[in-house]
Amino acid sequence: MRVMKLTLHIWKQKGSQSKGQFVSYQLDQLSPDLSFLEMLDILNESLIKDKKEPIAFDHDCREGICGSCSLRINGSSHGPNRGQASCQIHLRQFKDGDELWIEPFRAKSFPVIRDLIVDRSALDRIVQVGGYISVKTGSAPEAHSIPVQKNKADTAFASAACIGCGACVDACKNASASLFVGAKLMHLSSLPQGKTEEKTRTLKMVQQMDKEGFGACSHTGKCEAVCPKEISLKTIAQMNRNFIKHSLS
């Protein structure tokens, strides 16, 4: 069975007010079939066995759904491949003997909690100010009671795929959250159920994004390139159009 040896340079930092630094570790006898997070698990087991402090990193589903695994790997948000979250990377995507630089997402609005974990609650607060949609609650509605054009349903579904990982913020030179906010707004505004509160939702979420300290979008497209769900830049254009329209009405 083929095994690999890797050198890991991992960012260590006790908190947002502390200075951090890269600390190097070497791992060998690694199976190429291991996931990236499984490799970190193995490293932590070794550190704990040696009575050393383990690496703090965030994770939950490990299936590319929750977005909590967010890491910058060799300078790229979520690593080398498009359309993948950090947890979906396997060691076979690297070469035996490679050096990997692993660090948390870098943005003013994402302060470091510890090591590779950042506070992304700013994204939650943007969603929270969006409020609600006017739909009848209770029993499930009849599937065909509200007709929706297929192209609009497809647009809503594609935008709803956003997992809120923050890779778009990390990759953007301005640390803009426009792709995230645009996806959340387009998800609802594409459907009849989201039309009633579209104006207030758009104004409040964009204003909250600015309040949280995220930068402005300059349309370089880096956000779309690193998004694990490949959310389209069209969501930003639609958000801007709606914001201008509702600001003037």
Side-chain angles (χ1 to χ4, degrees), residues 135-160:
V135 294
K136 182 179 179 181
T137 59
S139 60
E142 168 59 38
H144 300 293
S145 61
I146 305 178
V148 180
Q149 293 178 358
K150 186 179 186 303
N151 64 325
K152 291 186 177 180
D154 290 344
T155 297
F157 186 83
S159 300

Side-chain angles (χ1 to χ4, degrees), residues 64-105:
I65 299 172
C66 70
S68 62
C69 65
S70 306
L71 298 171
R72 185 185 286 188
I73 302 167
N74 286 353
S76 297
S77 311
H78 284 304
N81 290 347
R82 291 193 66 155
Q84 283 188 327
S86 300
C87 63
Q88 296 173 295
I89 297 173
H90 288 81
L91 300 192
R92 56 179 172 268
Q93 296 172 229
F94 303 101
K95 296 179 182 178
D96 182 29
D98 273 355
E99 294 188 50
L100 306 181
W101 297 82
I102 309 166
E103 57 189 309
F105 279 178

Side-chain angles (χ1 to χ4, degrees), residues 161-215:
C162 171
I163 57 178
C165 64
C168 51
V169 179
D170 179 60
C172 177
K173 64 180 182 179
N174 305 321
S176 172
S178 293
L179 190 70
F180 167 80
V181 177
K184 297 303 179 184
L185 288 171
M186 184 172 281
H187 166 210
L188 295 175
S189 64
S190 300
L191 300 173
Q193 296 92 331
K195 286 294 184 183
T196 306
E197 288 80 26
E198 182 187 82
K199 177 178 179 178
T200 55
R201 182 185 303 112
T202 300
L203 294 176
K204 286 182 177 180
M205 290 181 68
V206 173
Q207 290 165 358
Q208 185 68 29
M209 173 175 63
D210 294 338
K211 182 179 178 181
E212 294 290 346
F214 292 103

